[in-house]
Amino acid sequence: MNSKHIACAIVAVVIALLVQFTLWFQNSRSAMQRQAETAQFAETAAADQLARERVQLAELRRQSTDLIGFLKTWQPYFESIDNAQSAEVNYTMRVKEANLVNLAQRFELGTVKNNPSIPTAMRTYLTFEDDYPRLMNWLGDLEVKMPTLRISSVRLSKGTRPIDLRAEIILEHPLLKK
Amino acid sequence: MQIASKQIDDFKTERKDITPPLPVILRLVPLLLYCSIIIAVVLGAIFFLQLQLAIKKREGHRIETENIAIETQKTQSERAALEAEIKKATDIEAWVAGSRPIQPLLVEIARSMGARSSLIDLRIERDPDAPAQLKLAMKIGTDTTKQLDTTLDRITSQDYRTFSPQQNLGRGELDYRATLVSRQQRTPDVVPETPAP
């Protein structure tokens, strides 16, 4: 083997390297193209999921329009008195303002069944003995001014005097979960 | 096959050839080198452009996927918040439905008493499990059941239906017990009579 043969061999190696490099480059390109395709599939899948989520959200919005409107109307009433102390003060003031003969008054914090948003309610136990119109007017006025109020129990019976009415009332004021 | 030695390099220097010339077939090697270089450059350029395009495309899809994922998460959060609102609204509606004013009912029952009757005792309690239902228990001072019919008519006028009635008449007193269920439940379009605080 002379120097020309060696030169030929080197050139052949260079050619092989060039071919190898070109093939490597082609493989890199193909791999990248596959990655791009995978990324495109992922994007399409994500876009489909987003479209489904949007449809579900729009449907939920459509179905709950009335309910959300109802919530917007009523929530301020529930939030106006949202703790036990405020509720106690509020009812004490209302009883005092009414100037009714109040025989007993007691407050108690109770749990509300099957209502996670209103887990507790302030229960007010009231016993009055006063004349019928005053008591009924006060009770009616209270129910109008405190629309979230729930009268959970009321007992009317004859009072000590003939004109008097004895009323034992249990009021429940809802306390929204914060 | 003759290949011109002036045009194709045969790795010879200007010096006097001291080695024998390459066989003719091996003279193709330089030609192959030139072709390889040209093809490698052309293909390399094409592959490079395609690679760059693929990288750009992949990155574009990846960024877009990330944006979509953020948007999806935002939509899911909105849906979760809306579901929480709906749950809250349902709970509030349940409370409101079980808080229908009962003072008008009390007044109607009291007003229904005739001249020869009197209301001795009246008790109305909400069912803790179904607050919209009222348990009515009343004791009327009367000798006949006619007064009861009048009172029940007045209760019906308040949009209540009576269930499971029980009555007992004796010694001039009539005991009556029943469950009252409102015909008109509060619906979402019902608004409070007083303005919002």
Side-chain angles (χ1 to χ4, degrees):
Chain A
M1 182 183 266
N2 58 32
S3 58
K4 287 180 183 173
H5 289 111
I6 293 167
C8 267
I10 291 168
V11 169
V13 168
V14 170
I15 290 167
L17 285 174
L18 275 172
V19 170
Q20 199 61 36
F21 173 76
T22 308
L23 286 173
W24 172 79
F25 214 25
Q26 187 201 16
N27 287 338
S28 297
R29 179 213 61 173
S30 300
M32 191 54 67
Q33 281 177 335
R34 279 196 297 276
Q35 283 183 22
E37 273 176 24
T38 309
Q40 191 176 9
F41 290 142
E43 186 193 325
T44 310
D48 288 346
Q49 195 192 348
L50 177 61
R52 278 197 301 274
E53 288 288 341
R54 280 181 173 160
V55 167
Q56 283 176 356
L57 180 64
E59 182 65 17
L60 200 61
R61 274 205 183 116
R62 193 186 61 75
Q63 286 175 352
S64 62
T65 310
D66 289 348
L67 211 51
I68 297 300
F70 174 81
L71 179 68
K72 280 181 183 162
T73 306
W74 281 89
Q75 199 167 0
Y77 293 92
F78 280 83
E79 285 174 344
S80 63
I81 298 172
D82 60 351
N83 61 70
Q85 288 75 23
S86 307
E88 202 174 314
V89 169
N90 177 59
Y91 287 106
T92 306
M93 290 297 292
R94 285 182 188 277
V95 169
K96 272 187 183 171
E97 281 171 9
N99 204 22
L100 295 166
V101 179
N102 184 9
L103 301 180
Q105 179 175 307
R106 182 163 63 89
F107 296 97
E108 182 186 283
L109 209 58
T111 54
V112 177
K113 282 183 183 175
N114 307 322
N115 201 323
S117 303
I118 307 170
T120 51
M122 171 60 89
R123 289 205 179 98
T124 309
Y125 297 81
L126 297 166
T127 307
F128 296 109
E129 203 165 296
D130 214 307
D131 68 279
Y132 167 79
R134 271 163 56 83
L135 266 173
M136 285 299 116
N137 285 341
W138 178 78
L139 200 60
D141 190 49
L142 188 69
E143 283 191 311
V144 170
K145 285 180 177 165
M146 305 286 296
T148 60
L149 171 76
R150 175 183 283 177
I151 297 178
S152 62
S153 171
V154 60
R155 185 179 181 189
L156 302 179
S157 55
K158 285 181 178 172
T160 318
R161 294 184 303 165
I163 57 160
D164 280 351
L165 181 72
R166 185 184 172 89
E168 291 162 51
I169 306 165
I170 303 174
L171 308 174
E172 280 187 309
H173 186 89
L175 300 174
L176 268 186
K177 188 181 179 183
K178 290 177 186 171
Chain B
M1 188 174 122
Q2 289 293 319
I3 297 171
S5 61
K6 292 286 177 198
Q7 290 163 8
I8 304 297
D9 193 354
D10 62 351
F11 303 118
K12 288 198 299 184
T13 63
E14 296 303 319
R15 290 175 301 168
K16 193 182 176 192
D17 226 351
I18 52 169
T19 53
L22 284 169
V24 176
I25 191 72
L26 285 181
R27 289 197 177 191
L28 284 171
V29 172
L31 188 66
L32 206 59
L33 175 71
Y34 300 145
C35 290
S36 301
I37 289 169
I38 292 164
I39 290 168
V41 167
V42 170
L43 285 178
I46 291 167
F47 293 156
F48 179 75
L49 284 175
Q50 287 178 337
L51 182 72
Q52 290 304 312
L53 279 175
I55 289 172
K56 204 173 169 184
K57 199 175 165 187
R58 186 193 67 172
E59 290 308 308
H61 289 312
R62 195 172 281 178
I63 289 166
E64 195 58 34
T65 307
E66 280 171 11
N67 289 339
I68 289 170
I70 291 166
E71 200 67 26
T72 306
Q73 209 170 9
K74 199 175 149 191
T75 310
Q76 283 172 339
S77 303
E78 271 181 56
R79 190 153 68 95
L82 184 61
E83 280 169 351
E85 287 279 284
I86 290 169
K87 178 77 187 92
K88 192 175 184 179
T90 310
D91 287 345
I92 285 181
E93 190 192 15
W95 177 274
V96 171
S99 308
R100 191 182 172 200
I102 58 173
Q103 184 262 5
L105 180 67
L106 294 171
V107 171
E108 281 301 318
I109 293 172
R111 279 181 186 166
S112 71
M113 293 299 133
R116 292 180 181 178
S117 305
S118 63
L119 189 61
I120 299 167
D121 193 81
L122 170 66
R123 182 180 292 203
I124 295 177
E125 286 177 352
R126 286 192 191 275
D127 186 339
D129 294 318
Q133 293 184 8
L134 302 174
K135 288 177 181 170
L136 169 73
M138 59 183 176
K139 190 180 277 184
I140 302 170
T142 182
D143 292 324
T144 63
T145 55
K146 196 178 174 186
Q147 174 58 52
L148 181 63
D149 294 337
T150 311
T151 305
L152 291 178
D153 285 345
R154 301 294 279 269
I155 291 171
T156 309
S157 73
Q158 287 293 307
D159 276 336
Y160 282 101
R161 284 182 296 177
T162 54
F163 286 94
S164 316
Q166 292 173 11
Q167 64 182 71
N168 186 17
L169 180 64
R171 293 183 192 176
E173 285 182 4
L174 190 145
D175 279 323
Y176 181 81
R177 287 170 190 276
T179 301
L180 304 181
V181 179
S182 174
R183 284 179 191 162
Q184 51 161 193
Q185 296 291 324
R186 273 184 170 174
T187 48
D189 57 342
V190 174
V191 290
E193 289 177 40
T194 48

